[in-house]
Amino acid sequence: MPRQLLASGYLRVRWTACALAIPVSALAFGACATQNAALTEAPPAAEKHRSYPAKLPPQAGADGLSAQDAQIPTPAEKPRVDIDPALQAASAILDGALTSSGQRLSAWWTPLSEQPHYSELLDPERKIEYTLSTGSVGAGELLNAREFQHDGAHHSVIDRHRGRGTHYATGAMIELILDAARQVDERVAGPKLRVGNMSLRRGGSMRWSRSHTSGRDADLAFYCKDKKTGERVLAPDLLRFDATGQAIGHPNIEFDTERNWELVQALLSHPTVDIQWLFISNPLKDILLHYARSQNADADLIARASKVLHQPTDALPHDDHLHLRITCPEQDRLEGCLDYGPRWEWVDWHYDALRARSLAIAAAFESPDASTRQSALDLLERIRSPYAPVLALSQARREPSDAVRLRALEVATNIPTESGAAVVEALKFVGQSDFNLDEKAYAYRLLRRAVDPFSLDPLKDIITASDVSPAEQRLAADALAHYMDPELVPFLLTQLQTQPAGVAEKLAVLLRRITNHSEDVDWSLLGMQSDSKEREAALSRWQDWWQANQARPREEWLAEGFSTQGLASAQGQPLDLEAVDALIAMLGSAPDHIAYNANLELKRITGRWAPLEAWDNARLQKYWARWWKWWQANHPKDLLASR
């Protein structure tokens, strides 16, 4: 079986001397790497606390450490072991298991950066002295904020913003703006850069914006010129510009394309601060990119700008300012600063540093005190470590405390799975007979949300195994819920012939979602103990449908299903914005499988996020309807262009 192959294909390398068991991309090492010895050494007693408390969100169960908990024995020196051949073999076995969003296996055995001892990291009185952005840009905080001066050599805060108290940010943000404004002035002399809202002194929500809560957002006015003379003039405020670069309501002012491109170039070229977004209206983005190409600007820089310059889909078009958003600096990310959105390939997303910090926290799993182990799990969840799922699942497999094991399983499923290593650990967990079904349900939930192709065959094996209970087979069937693969149809039809009602019901959900078709069969009533004629008739109808449609692409199945709800589409043409109203209506009235696919199509058409399973159809419909109404009102030209 695949699970047996998994077990035999991995190396179990345990930090025996270091008293730390960590899966290394679902492997564990048999030797303690010498560069990690610092993780097991207690911090010097004379080390001073930092001067400002880390104001992180409270987490249930995060108790303080006792004096004994902070001390662990120093391990004896272990002989060096050459594990390169084993690592190469493991890499070959597991390379296909890792999803594209995760880190490659090699990331787990590169040298670790030095980290504080876990006793310091878990100390409830731990203090931080530097500027710290925590949480997301929409629900975050700003600690030890740095004040942005109202006036400087190359910038000034817009007059009407000065009394708002929104001129605070992280040190990285302020450094970036000052450097960029200076660079623009040096290359193309002119008036100062005008700056609007940044963040409040302690971050958090403010009345003028839904973001700007964590010190990583700033509103920058566009540079301006006098339309008649060409003279560069100081922007009096956040002025709106139309598609030609003309200031709306200010006939004598126009968009200063040259300096605004220099600003974009300076921001994207900064050596130490990375950009997540530069929100701007599409017409102004086009003006900037056209100018950059006409000036033979660096091709890589233009490619970056074409991605980062972006008109938001859930806010005003940003034709009156450039909304700058930076990524989390490394030290902030390690304390719980969160980046959402695309992962630009040129940005360091701090995976290596997070790995080192996560392993330092996970060293606490060797503490004999259950509350310490639970506090480590709480912290891994709080910083949203991408390694938390695999570390938590590995701990759950060996955790003696039922309460801490449950917490480990919660952490594993509460954080999105970014690598196949967590999928492997989940498969190993469900493959162990010493865990009850309630505990295994967490691992199956992780597998369902991961939608990793590597788990497909193991899940199918569990569903067909003769030694697995129907209750667990039902969990495995449910874990397949988001695999929209037409190649699964023959397997599903075969299993519907023999599976009991509970399992058949879950498999039938997937069958209907894949095909966007239903034969109006209630499989929860057609278990293998039910009337065989009813079952045979239902299967016969499905088999007939499959014979008639298996050669057609899934896009045609989707279109046919949507047509039953009155939505017609051109043959072979994907749905576009014109279908949005009809798709939103389906969320409230159509059968579940059609509503499910309508949500997927809305996500594809709009590029907007929406959950697959966290909300019911009524909430999904309300969410999409509210957003669509707003979008049509604020993007009429985009709507017309689609028609």
Side-chain angles (χ1 to χ4, degrees):
M1 287 177 62
R3 284 178 290 169
Q4 294 169 328
L5 292 176
L6 284 171
S8 63
Y10 297 151
L11 298 174
R12 164 63 70 181
V13 184
R14 187 177 287 275
W15 298 58
T16 50
C18 296
L20 175 62
I22 294 296
V24 183
S25 289
L27 307 174
F29 293 158
C32 178
T34 56
Q35 71 264 27
N36 297 337
L39 292 177
T40 64
E41 297 172 1
E47 182 175 330
K48 296 181 180 179
H49 282 300
R50 299 189 173 99
S51 61
Y52 196 92
K55 192 178 173 188
L56 296 173
Q59 199 68 259
D63 299 327
L65 299 177
S66 65
Q68 307 122 283
D69 296 331
Q71 302 295 324
I72 59 175
T74 303
E77 184 175 352
K78 299 289 288 184
R80 297 177 181 237
V81 179
D82 182 8
I83 60 173
D84 283 346
L87 295 179
Q88 292 171 9
S91 179
I93 293 170
L94 281 179
D95 189 57
L98 295 182
T99 57
S100 60
S101 62
Q103 291 297 289
R104 307 307 297 171
L105 279 172
S106 59
W108 282 84
W109 52 69
T110 53
L112 295 174
S113 59
E114 185 176 354
Q115 295 291 322
H117 187 265
Y118 77 78
S119 61
E120 179 183 344
L121 295 173
L122 299 182
D123 185 352
E125 301 300 323
R126 180 171 175 244
K127 297 180 180 180
I128 290 177
E129 63 184 3
Y130 51 82
T131 299
L132 178 64
S133 171
T134 64
S136 67
V137 294
E141 292 183 347
L142 179 59
L143 308 180
N144 299 337
R146 184 171 161 187
E147 184 176 4
F148 189 65
Q149 297 302 312
H150 284 167
D151 292 287
H154 307 286
H155 80 274
S156 67
V157 173
I158 293 170
D159 296 346
R160 67 186 175 93
H161 291 76
R162 296 191 175 203
R164 294 179 176 180
T166 58
H167 55 291
Y168 296 90
T170 64
M173 171 63 88
I174 291 178
E175 174 189 348
L176 173 66
I177 294 175
L178 294 178
D179 287 349
R182 174 185 50 78
Q183 185 173 324
V184 170
D185 220 19
E186 289 174 351
R187 293 176 64 90
V188 185
K192 296 178 179 181
L193 174 69
R194 306 302 307 279
V195 181
N197 287 328
M198 300 174 82
S199 293
L200 297 172
R201 185 168 188 169
R202 296 186 180 276
S205 60
M206 60 183 185
R207 56 184 286 199
W208 302 280
S209 177
R210 288 185 297 163
S211 57
H212 291 255
T213 68
S214 56
R216 294 187 287 117
D217 291 276
D219 294 337
L220 309 179
F222 294 121
Y223 288 113
C224 305
K225 290 198 308 184
D226 184 285
K227 188 174 182 178
K228 292 182 179 179
T229 67
E231 179 184 356
R232 295 187 161 90
V233 296
L234 185 72
D237 206 326
L238 303 181
L239 302 184
R240 295 182 61 208
F241 291 87
D242 65 19
T244 68
Q246 170 66 52
I248 298 173
H250 297 266
N252 294 328
I253 295 180
E254 65 181 3
F255 191 75
D256 188 344
T257 304
E258 183 180 12
R259 294 194 91 210
N260 284 313
W261 170 250
E262 289 293 342
L263 176 60
V264 170
Q265 185 170 238
L267 293 170
L268 289 177
S269 303
H270 197 275
T272 61
V273 184
D274 287 315
I275 309 300
Q276 174 76 53
W277 289 117
L278 292 172
F279 293 118
I280 189 174
S281 69
N282 282 331
L284 296 180
K285 170 183 176 177
D286 291 341
I287 289 174
L288 289 173
L289 293 179
H290 177 77
Y291 174 80
R293 295 185 186 101
S294 72
Q295 300 300 305
N296 295 316
D298 180 76
D300 287 341
L301 185 67
I302 293 175
R304 291 187 188 186
S306 67
K307 294 180 178 180
V308 172
L309 290 166
H310 175 68
Q311 178 173 303
T313 62
D314 59 353
L316 295 173
H318 283 60
D319 56 5
D320 63 341
H321 70 281
L322 188 70
H323 181 151
L324 165 64
R325 176 171 297 164
I326 66 172
T327 65
C328 294
E330 179 179 306
Q331 63 183 6
D332 297 42
R333 180 65 189 91
L334 297 183
E335 301 293 342
C337 183
L338 302 177
D339 290 302
Y340 291 113
R343 290 292 190 259
W344 308 126
E345 61 271 17
W346 59 85
V347 171
D348 178 5
W349 297 104
H350 315 306
Y351 282 110
D352 287 342
L354 280 164
R355 174 176 57 92
R357 176 59 58 90
S358 300
L359 291 173
I361 296 169
F365 291 159
E366 290 305 317
S367 169
D369 181 68
S371 67
T372 299
R373 300 195 299 275
Q374 180 160 316
S375 293
L377 290 165
D378 293 340
L379 182 53
L380 285 172
E381 181 181 52
R382 187 182 303 156
I383 68 172
R384 308 292 288 180
S385 167
Y387 302 102
V390 65
L391 293 169
L393 278 169
S394 177
Q395 179 61 20
R397 293 177 58 229
R398 66 191 189 99
E399 174 57 54
S401 164
D402 291 344
V404 178
R405 185 186 312 114
L406 178 62
R407 183 69 185 118
L409 293 169
E410 289 173 346
V411 170
T413 54
N414 285 347
I415 297 177
T417 302
E418 294 192 13
S419 80
V423 170
V424 168
E425 280 297 309
L427 289 170
K428 290 163 74 174
F429 189 90
V430 301
Q432 290 186 220
S433 59
D434 44 348
F435 300 121
N436 62 50
L437 206 57
D438 289 340
E439 292 171 326
K440 288 186 177 183
Y442 283 93
Y444 280 115
R445 191 177 308 147
L446 182 148
L447 294 172
R448 184 178 73 237
R449 293 177 179 175
V451 199
D452 194 308
F454 186 69
S455 63
L456 193 55
D457 284 339
L459 288 171
K460 289 164 66 177
D461 287 340
I462 294 170
I463 292 169
T464 58
S466 59
D467 59 344
V468 176
S469 70
E472 183 168 352
Q473 288 176 321
R474 178 180 169 88
L475 290 175
D478 188 47
L480 294 175
H482 304 304
Y483 288 84
M484 298 296 105
D485 184 357
E487 293 186 7
L488 279 171
V489 172
F491 169 79
L492 296 172
L493 292 177
T494 299
Q495 292 306 305
L496 286 174
Q497 297 177 27
T498 59
Q499 290 290 352
V503 181
E505 180 185 11
K506 292 296 183 181
L507 295 175
V509 168
L510 178 59
L511 179 62
R512 291 192 293 267
R513 287 179 173 180
I514 292 173
T515 62
N516 212 26
H517 176 77
S518 175
E519 289 294 340
D520 296 323
V521 179
D522 187 350
W523 288 96
S524 65
L525 303 177
L526 289 181
M528 62 182 180
Q529 307 300 328
S530 302
D531 188 327
S532 60
K533 290 184 178 180
E534 257 190 282
R535 175 185 280 268
E536 289 174 7
L539 285 168
S540 177
R541 294 196 299 275
W542 266 109
Q543 291 286 1
D544 290 344
W545 183 92
W546 177 239
Q547 289 300 319
N549 293 278
Q550 60 181 316
R552 300 169 64 194
R554 183 169 182 263
E555 289 72 20
E556 292 186 13
W557 301 349
L558 292 175
E560 189 172 275
F562 292 144
S563 70
T564 65
Q565 305 300 308
L567 176 60
S569 60
Q571 185 70 23
Q573 296 298 314
L575 298 176
D576 56 22
L577 287 173
E578 290 189 3
V580 169
D581 284 308
L583 291 170
I584 292 175
M586 291 180 201
L587 295 174
S589 59
D592 177 75
H593 61 284
I594 292 181
Y596 177 88
N597 284 309
N599 185 41
L600 289 181
E601 283 296 289
L602 286 167
K603 287 159 63 84
R604 180 190 63 78
I605 293 168
T606 66
R608 185 168 175 76
W609 174 89
L612 285 178
E613 59 181 51
W615 300 346
D616 59 26
N617 288 344
R619 185 176 178 186
L620 271 176
Q621 184 181 43
K622 184 177 181 180
Y623 165 82
W624 280 114
R626 183 170 57 243
W627 173 81
W628 181 234
K629 180 180 179 181
W630 174 89
W631 193 89
Q632 291 179 96
N634 290 280
H635 298 75
K637 293 182 180 179
D638 293 318
L639 189 61
L640 286 172
S642 71
R643 292 175 173 171

